[in-house]
């Protein structure tokens, strides 16, 4: 059931992105072109999780789901990151979390790859 939900959510993200961009060129892109051009994906901004993590190293908090996205700010190793929700990057299959760094205002929320985080406590749900 978990994989079905992941596939469903990735489909929703792809459909929403196509709607937001007006579908311009989306259907015309070949598989090779799509793989070569990574996208900065967006999600719903939902705070439905209680997951608390810390950063394994110093990484950039991103404005979207993907390493190609712009940076919100740099976050130091060991910082606490409160997860609001998670999303799968359709380009890479990597799980990204939307959330905020301890001490930051809600205005500074952003996305962090799950690869950069260590579990402390709690659970998470999809955006």
């Amino acid at each position: 059931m978990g994989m079905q939900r992941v596939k469903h959510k990735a489909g929703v993200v792809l459909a929403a992105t196509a709607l937001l961009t007006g579908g311009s060129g989306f259907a015309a892109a070949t598989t090779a072109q799509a793989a070569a051009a990574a996208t900065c994906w967006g999600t719903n901004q939902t705070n439905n999780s209680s997951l608390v993590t810390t950063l394994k190293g110093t990484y950039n908090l991103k404005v979207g789901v993907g390493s190609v996205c712009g940076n919100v700010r740099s976050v130091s190793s060991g910082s606490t990151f409160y997860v609001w929700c998670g999303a799968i990057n359709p380009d890479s299959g990597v799980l990204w979390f939307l959330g905020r760094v301890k001490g930051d205002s809600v205005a500074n929320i952003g996305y962090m790859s799950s690869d950069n985080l260590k579990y402390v406590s709690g659970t998470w749900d999809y955006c």
Side-chain angles (χ1 to χ4, degrees):
M1 176 147 178
M3 285 303 290
Q4 290 173 342
R5 186 171 185 175
V6 169
K7 289 179 184 176
H8 174 70
K9 290 292 183 178
V12 169
V13 170
L14 288 172
T17 302
L19 287 173
L20 289 173
T21 61
S24 59
F26 188 74
T30 66
T31 303
Q33 289 169 326
T39 301
C40 180
W41 300 94
T43 67
N44 294 325
Q45 294 187 346
T46 307
N47 188 349
N48 63 8
S49 302
S50 64
L51 182 61
V52 178
T53 64
T54 57
L55 272 75
K56 294 178 183 177
T58 299
Y59 302 101
N60 289 318
L61 188 63
K62 300 291 190 170
V63 297
V65 177
S67 59
V68 298
C69 298
N71 297 330
V72 173
R73 73 176 193 86
S74 178
V75 184
S76 299
S77 179
S79 296
T80 299
F81 185 72
Y82 299 114
V83 172
W84 285 20
C85 61
I88 302 293
N89 180 315
D91 293 330
S92 66
V94 173
L95 173 63
W96 285 72
F97 290 122
L98 170 67
R100 71 174 184 85
V101 177
K102 182 179 181 178
D104 280 4
S105 73
V106 174
N108 288 332
I109 63 171
Y111 297 85
M112 183 66 65
S113 170
S114 62
D115 293 340
N116 302 340
L117 302 170
K118 287 193 296 188
Y119 175 84
V120 174
S121 65
T123 61
W124 67 275
D125 201 356
Y126 289 92
C127 296

